[in-house]
């Protein structure tokens, strides 16, 4: 009779983790079995080694949406839906809400019971897995993916509050359109987030008027991601059949497009207010685009390719903002009513914030510093009309003398 001996050496062997195709984490445990068989076959010894693996489902990454305005709430609809369809993400989403009282009730309470942001996106139900939280420190707890979507003037203070709760490996994406001034010139909003939170930040910008996205009307958008893997994660989090995403590497150019187009939209609104037609609007769009490209090339040290301006974040966003959008609308009213921009913002926007005039102020400061005001007549005229009492009809004079035609 032969003797069969089994030596099993599973416990204590190393673990190895890898990412499964579905986004789950697979844990591999190596072990070997040695069988010594002094069996029937002339006392020959057979040795077998095998490696087995087990698949364990790890919890998905928690997403926190930082902001809940018109765009924040529209994007919450998409994210709430998408996280349920993928095991890469935790199915519950936190949404930080700047607390306000609406008809005697807290906005967070309204969102969590009625599943509707009645102030900023009325008429649209938010998915039930999106939970409104008024304290930012509570909202970001455990989150590995942060989606920033607030008016840009509030970002610095909010990041300071978030910082102690940010854990290693957290990544962010900014949907915020605006820029700031830094000690060396231009400061992007994503730069502020990167510096304050020390995380990798991608951006998403495109021809995306929030109410149309919420209505699920087809559109495109652009993600700028320096890290390709992050681009893949954000595309999975945000793409839908009616919200199609292209990912490009030039994140800074994408972000600059999103900020600068709001200045051009104010110019387009002036033309509407003055009674000019579509030809003039087209000229404003084209000259505005030329200034956007020139500004990006002058003020950004990294690569700026003109082709990025052909993506949704560039020319498409510019067109939609110059026809629809709040900057154009308020600028038209500015011409027709002679009220100040601040008055009109309060009267017309129901708590929403205007980005174009403020961005023109940041840009103007930089142009002055570099003695380049004359090279950017459209950007400069928007600032001077909004804040320095320049006559609106002078806007056309600026276009007539544009360096593009000289
Ligand atoms: N609405 C759009 O169509 C659209 C589309 C693309 C990008 N964006 C960009 O997204 C960003 C957010 O815009 P939105 O439309 O979601 O916001 P919004 O202008 O509709 O709403 C203002 C938001 O600011 C919050 N808020 C007010 N006071 C605050 C304070 N003191 N501190 C912090 N938050 C305060 C409000 O709660 C509200 O969520 C902006 O940068 C905007 O340019 C907007």
């Amino acid at each position: 009779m032969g003797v069969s001996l089994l030596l099993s050496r599973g416990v204590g062997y190393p673990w190895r983790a890898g990412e499964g195709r579905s986004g789950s984490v697979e844990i591999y445990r190596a072990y070997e079995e040695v069988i010594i068989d002094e069996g029937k076959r002339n006392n020959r010894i057979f040795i077998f080694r095998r490696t087995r693996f087990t698949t364990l489902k790890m919890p998905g990454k928690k997403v926190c949406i930082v902001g809940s305005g018109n765009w924040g709430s529209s994007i919450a609809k998409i994210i709430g839906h998408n996280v349920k369809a993928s095991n890469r993400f935790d199915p519950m989403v936190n949404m930080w809400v700047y607390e306000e009282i609406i008809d005697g009730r807290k906005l967070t309470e309204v969102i969590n019971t009625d599943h509707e942001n009645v102030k900023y996106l009325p008429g649209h139900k938010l998915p039930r897995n999106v939970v409104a939280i008024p304290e930012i420190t509570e909202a970001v707890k455990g989150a590995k993916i942060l989606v920033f979507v607030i008016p840009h003037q509030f970002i610095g203070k909010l990041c300071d509050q978030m910082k102690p709760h940010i854990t290693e490996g957290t990544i962010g994406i900014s949907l915020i359109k605006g820029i700031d001034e830094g000690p060396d010139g231009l400061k992007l909003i994503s730069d502020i987030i990167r510096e304050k939170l020390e995380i990798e930040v991608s951006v998403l910008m495109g021809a995306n008027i929030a109410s149309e996205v919420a209505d699920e009307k087809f559109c495109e958008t652009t993600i700028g991601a320096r890290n390709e893997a992050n681009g893949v994660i954000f595309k999975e989090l945000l793409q839908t059949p009616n919200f199609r995403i292209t990912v490009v590497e030039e994140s800074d150019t994408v972000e600059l497009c999103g900020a600068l187009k709001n200045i051009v939209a104010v110019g387009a609104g002036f033309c509407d207010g003055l009674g000019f037609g579509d030809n003039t609007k087209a000229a404003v769009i084209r000259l505005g685009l030329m200034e956007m490209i020139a500004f990006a090339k002058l003020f950004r040290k990294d690569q700026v390719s003109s082709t990025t301006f052909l993506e949704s974040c560039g020319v498409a966003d510019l067109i939609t903002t110059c026809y629809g959008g709040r900057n154009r609308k308020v600028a038209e009213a500015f011409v027709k009513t002679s009220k100040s921009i601040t008055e009109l913002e309060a009267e017309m926007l129901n708590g929403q914030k205007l980005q174009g005039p403020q961005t023109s102020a940041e840009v103007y400061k930089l142009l002055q510093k570099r003695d380049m005001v004359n090279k950017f007549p459209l950007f400069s005229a928007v600032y001077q009309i909004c804040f320095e009492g320049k006559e609106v009809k002078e806007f056309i004079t600026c276009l007539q003398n544009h360096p593009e035609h000289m």
Side-chain angles (χ1 to χ4, degrees), residues 33-50:
E33 284 176 1
V34 182
I35 299 173
I36 302 170
D37 189 340
E38 297 174 333
K40 298 171 180 154
R41 290 172 230 178
N42 303 327
N43 284 343
R44 276 163 62 198
I45 294 172
F46 299 91
I47 298 174
F48 301 93
R49 286 199 178 88
R50 275 187 287 159

Side-chain angles (χ1 to χ4, degrees), residues 106-161:
K106 289 179 174 172
L107 183 56
T108 48
E109 183 201 314
V110 176
I111 294 173
N112 288 336
T113 49
D114 304 346
H115 305 288
E116 185 177 333
N117 187 339
V118 288
K119 174 149 185 193
Y120 293 104
L121 192 64
H124 287 274
K125 286 290 174 200
L126 298 178
R128 286 168 177 264
N129 56 333
V130 174
V131 181
I133 300 177
E135 293 87 22
I136 186 65
T137 48
E138 195 57 38
V140 296
K141 246 181 222 163
K144 285 288 178 195
I145 298 181
L146 304 173
V147 180
F148 295 90
V149 57
I150 51 168
H152 77 278
Q153 51 269 47
F154 305 126
I155 192 67
K157 193 172 154 221
L158 211 57
C159 284
D160 291 338
Q161 292 172 271

Side-chain angles (χ1 to χ4, degrees), residues 139-393:
V140 296
K141 246 181 222 163
K144 285 288 178 195
I145 298 181
L146 304 173
V147 180
F148 295 90
V149 57
I150 51 168
H152 77 278
Q153 51 269 47
F154 305 126
I155 192 67
K157 193 172 154 221
L158 211 57
C159 284
D160 291 338
Q161 292 172 271
M162 292 164 75
K163 174 66 180 151
H165 305 275
I166 303 297
T167 53
E168 191 159 350
T170 301
I171 56 170
I173 187 164
S174 171
L175 279 57
I176 299 170
K177 291 177 174 172
I179 49 171
D180 211 342
E181 191 202 8
D184 313 321
L186 186 75
K187 189 145 204 170
L188 299 176
I189 302 305
S190 64
D191 285 339
I192 298 176
I193 303 171
R194 272 183 209 108
E195 277 170 30
K196 288 196 178 269
L197 301 185
E198 297 175 84
I199 61 172
E200 287 187 15
V201 184
S202 303
V203 300
L204 179 145
M205 309 279 147
N208 309 135
I209 290 179
S211 54
E212 293 182 23
V213 175
D215 284 339
E216 296 175 29
K217 292 177 177 161
F218 178 85
C219 68
E220 294 181 300
T221 197
T222 314
I223 284 179
R226 294 177 190 169
N227 178 326
E228 202 182 332
N230 291 352
V232 171
I233 294 173
F234 288 123
K235 187 165 178 166
E236 186 171 336
L237 182 67
L238 292 157
Q239 180 160 268
T240 75
N242 287 318
F243 190 64
R244 305 308 288 168
I245 297 176
T246 306
V247 182
V248 301
E249 205 189 322
E250 250 179 53
S251 173
D252 291 356
T253 312
V254 172
E255 188 169 357
L256 268 176
C257 285
L260 297 174
K261 57 98 197 192
N262 280 333
I263 309 177
V264 186
V266 175
F270 289 158
C271 291
D272 288 343
L274 290 166
F276 285 89
D278 288 339
N279 293 346
T280 314
K281 179 90 67 91
V284 169
I285 291 172
R286 194 191 80 83
L287 293 171
L289 182 63
M290 300 310 278
E291 290 194 18
M292 284 167 60
I293 297 172
F295 187 89
K297 288 191 171 170
L298 263 176
F299 286 88
R300 233 21 229 178
K301 289 172 222 106
D302 342 21
Q303 197 194 343
V304 174
S305 327
S306 301
T307 49
T308 307
F309 291 83
L310 302 179
E311 299 290 347
S312 178
C313 63
V315 71
D317 196 7
L318 189 56
I319 292 170
T320 198
T321 317
C322 287
Y323 279 92
R326 62 185 93 158
N327 288 286
R328 189 218 63 80
K329 191 170 79 173
V330 171
E332 182 182 20
F334 179 79
V335 181
K336 288 184 171 165
T337 66
S338 303
K339 291 182 183 172
S340 75
I341 292 284
T342 318
E343 275 175 284
L344 292 167
E345 187 179 27
E347 267 177 34
M348 297 174 70
L349 295 183
N350 185 35
Q352 292 188 324
K353 303 289 173 207
L354 209 57
Q355 307 299 333
Q358 207 186 327
T359 306
S360 77
E362 303 297 349
V363 163
Y364 191 75
K365 271 189 243 168
L366 289 172
L367 293 175
Q368 267 186 322
K369 263 191 204 161
R370 297 254 194 119
D371 200 16
M372 287 190 141
V373 168
N374 292 341
K375 297 223 171 346
F376 293 85
L378 190 153
F379 285 176
S380 302
V382 167
Y383 167 76
Q384 290 160 341
I385 292 165
C386 288
F387 298 108
E388 290 190 337
K390 192 180 182 113
E391 287 273 327
V392 185
K393 52 181 191 300

